[in-house]
Amino acid sequence: MFNKKNAIIISVLLTISACIYGLQILIFKDVRNTEFYIFQDMAFIPISIAITTVVVGELLDINNKRDSRLKTRMLTSTFFSDIGFELMSMLALVSNIDEDVLHKINDDNLSEYEKINVIKSSKFTINANMGVYNIISDVIISSKTDILIVSSNPMLYDHECFSDLLWELLHLMDEFRLRGDYVKLTEDDLAELNVDFAQVLELLLINWVINAKYLKEMYPSFYKTVSSLLDN
């Protein structure tokens, strides 16, 4: 914003520049060369602006995006440490997921893209019993504040898969509040909840794959533990 302070600074700098050019004319008695160098300096201004705004700006943008990705990975890793892995484990117990899928998810020879395709093509189904329903509802509801805080972070806007997962968890909170205890659920309620649970499991696995590289580098012990449990 252009204010009085900036105007003073610019005026001082222009005055200093004028004094230096005046001193140059006074000492060397050469107005022509001084005018030449003034125009030469003016010609360099667009080049300088191009370098600072385009090149330097691009480098800063790259660094900012890298820092943003790192901070987002820290958020997703914290999520898995807090509730993500517990939810994934509980849902996997009452799903149709097979050992081949779990093995491919942890196969270092497969790319991230290939692993995600395996997950999306698996078409998970869930048949949650009372115990699993109660555990999942308790975990999600007790983590309501943390989920809301994480979901409000603007850094997640560019991470669609993780944002989708958070929205599904928020939707489940509403479902738990609306439907209440397991014993009150109708068959239609259970069927709808199982579809929601299957979607959450798919998104948990996808985000686990996306986040695995960061976890493997930053928290190898945690990554090894989760990977071994998934394989088993």
Side-chain angles (χ1 to χ4, degrees):
M1 183 176 180
F2 192 83
N3 51 36
K4 186 176 180 180
K5 182 180 179 180
N6 289 336
I8 294 173
I9 293 173
I10 292 173
S11 298
V12 170
L13 292 174
L14 289 174
T15 302
I16 293 173
S17 181
C19 290
I20 292 173
Y21 280 123
L23 187 61
Q24 179 178 318
I25 294 173
L26 183 63
I27 295 173
F28 296 103
K29 311 295 184 181
D30 192 344
V31 177
R32 183 181 179 84
N33 277 334
T34 300
E35 291 175 344
F36 171 79
Y37 285 118
I38 289 174
F39 281 107
Q40 189 177 54
D41 291 341
M42 290 176 65
F44 184 73
I45 289 175
I47 299 175
S48 177
I49 293 174
I51 293 174
T52 55
T53 58
V54 178
V55 178
V56 177
E58 186 68 23
L59 291 174
L60 289 174
D61 188 49
I62 291 172
N63 288 333
N64 288 335
K65 287 181 179 179
R66 184 180 60 205
D67 291 342
S68 177
R69 284 195 297 268
L70 179 60
K71 291 176 181 177
T72 304
R73 288 289 167 260
M74 291 172 65
L75 286 174
T76 55
S77 296
T78 300
F79 168 82
F80 273 101
S81 300
D82 288 343
I83 65 171
F85 177 62
E86 184 174 5
L87 291 176
M88 191 163 58
S89 299
M90 294 305 301
L91 290 171
L93 287 175
V94 290
S95 74
N96 64 333
I97 193 169
D98 56 40
E99 292 182 3
D100 183 56
V101 171
L102 293 175
H103 177 71
K104 288 179 179 178
I105 290 174
N106 289 323
D107 189 350
D108 291 334
N109 294 320
L110 294 179
S111 67
E112 180 181 295
Y113 176 78
E114 290 173 318
K115 293 179 181 180
I116 291 175
N117 278 340
V118 169
I119 294 170
K120 288 184 175 181
S121 63
S122 296
K123 306 298 180 184
F124 299 118
T125 58
I126 301 288
N127 186 21
N129 54 34
M130 181 185 293
V132 171
Y133 175 88
N134 289 336
I135 291 174
I136 291 175
S137 62
D138 288 344
V139 169
I140 292 177
I141 292 174
S142 64
S143 303
K144 174 184 175 181
T145 302
D146 293 335
I147 293 173
L148 288 172
I149 291 173
V150 173
S151 62
S152 65
N153 194 309
M155 290 190 299
L156 297 177
Y157 294 160
D158 294 330
H159 300 266
E160 184 177 351
C161 287
F162 192 64
S163 296
D164 289 344
L165 172 59
L166 293 175
W167 281 116
E168 283 294 328
L169 294 178
L170 291 172
H171 171 67
L172 278 179
M173 287 183 196
D174 293 334
E175 292 280 6
F176 294 143
R177 283 195 295 266
L178 175 66
R179 303 185 190 282
D181 296 334
Y182 183 87
V183 293
K184 298 178 182 178
L185 299 178
T186 65
E187 289 187 4
D188 289 339
D189 291 337
L190 283 171
E192 185 174 337
L193 280 167
N194 281 326
V195 171
D196 291 335
F197 287 154
Q199 181 65 22
V200 169
L201 176 60
E202 178 179 305
L203 288 169
L204 281 167
L205 290 170
I206 289 173
N207 280 282
W208 164 253
V209 167
I210 294 173
N211 200 46
K213 181 179 180 181
Y214 171 81
L215 286 173
K216 191 174 182 180
E217 293 175 353
M218 301 300 294
Y219 304 103
S221 297
F222 179 74
Y223 172 81
K224 185 177 180 181
T225 300
V226 176
S227 298
S228 62
L229 289 172
L230 284 174
D231 278 334
N232 295 328

